[in-house]
Amino acid sequence: MKYGLFNLTYKREISKKTVEIGEEFQITTTIENRKMLPITFLQVEEKYPKALGIENYNYNLFIMPYQRVKRTYNLSGNKRGAYFLRNVVLGIGDFAGFNMERKGIEFLQEVLVLPKSLKLQEAVVPYGNFNGPISVKRWIIDDPLMTIGIREYTGYEPERYIHWPSSLKYGQLMVRNFDFTTDNSVLILLNVESMKPFWVGINEDVLEKSISLCRGLMEELEEEKIPYGFTTNAYGININEKQNYYPKVGQNHLNYLLETLSKISYGASMPFEALLEYFLKRKGNHTTFVVVTPKIFSSYIEPINVLTKTANRVVVISLQEENLNRLSNNIIKYVEG
């Protein structure tokens, strides 16, 4: 009892820190008795998130002097999320457990379970009069020889898009409606409000579908090598984090955003219309905005319509048809199919 915890070490290793739903990974624990005295009764108390398949994992050991005991077991996540593996308690005492000396060992390890991937072609159908292949190519890549033209400046476009000769001719600021193929980039905006206000109720199924659609979008954009960024009004995701919304391509960028998707909570840090207005004021250089939302609330209509004046193309993917008919006809719309 007096010397049992002396020179006793515990180590825990995780084989994978990012896994798919249902994918197995290994936890390996190593306990080492670094002294001449044996430990006749060691109680180990490990706690894991329930979603990983094991909640409380307790076992007893007899350890000889200078002996190392290694245990390996498999876990798997059954639900998207960020899961923390926390502290471990070691107990020294008698077999009956009446007299115990305990020691807590601090651990904080994270396992990320990624969302499922939903492909556009499998999950959504066009809404209204829009017909054509359900693909990011339809949104981005048009005929490079087509004439785009000039339109009136709304105050939201970057100054570099102003066409000065036309502005002088018409007596007001005009901007270029440029070719998509010259400067393509996409910003995906995920809304986690399934009700108004969000805390009235949360529809987990529809939010998980929305998150899975975002993953499918990112993977398709990555495959087409079209720069893409991501932002959301989910609590805990910083919209000022440039690494999120700045358009990029590459496996590291995709991995970072997929890990971000795994961490998304159901709580909203702000109304979705506030997020839209934030990016309207930024006057960024994204040529296409893709809104992924459980539904379109009335308060979203005006800021989404304004997006059509700041970007070449706006796409709305709503899992419900409500209010889609009130959006601009220039917007490409999809619903769950």
Side-chain angles (χ1 to χ4, degrees), residues 125-126 129-135 138-139 334:
V125 295
N129 296 324
F130 172 70
N131 292 306
I134 303 176
S135 166
R138 174 72 180 183
W139 311 338
Y334 295 102

Side-chain angles (χ1 to χ4, degrees), residues 4 21 38 57 63-64 68 73-74 80 86 89 143 158 165 181 207 220 239 243 247 307:
I21 293 175
Y57 193 68
I63 306 181
M64 297 294 292
R68 179 185 299 155
Y73 38 98
N74 295 329
R80 177 198 66 87
R86 300 187 183 275
V89 177
D143 184 356
T181 61
L207 288 176
E220 187 168 343
I239 62 172
Q243 191 171 1
L307 279 180

Side-chain angles (χ1 to χ4, degrees), residues 237-249:
I237 306 297
N238 185 3
I239 62 172
N240 293 302
E241 179 58 61
K242 193 174 183 180
Q243 191 171 1
N244 278 346
Y245 63 80
Y246 190 78
K248 296 179 185 178
V249 291

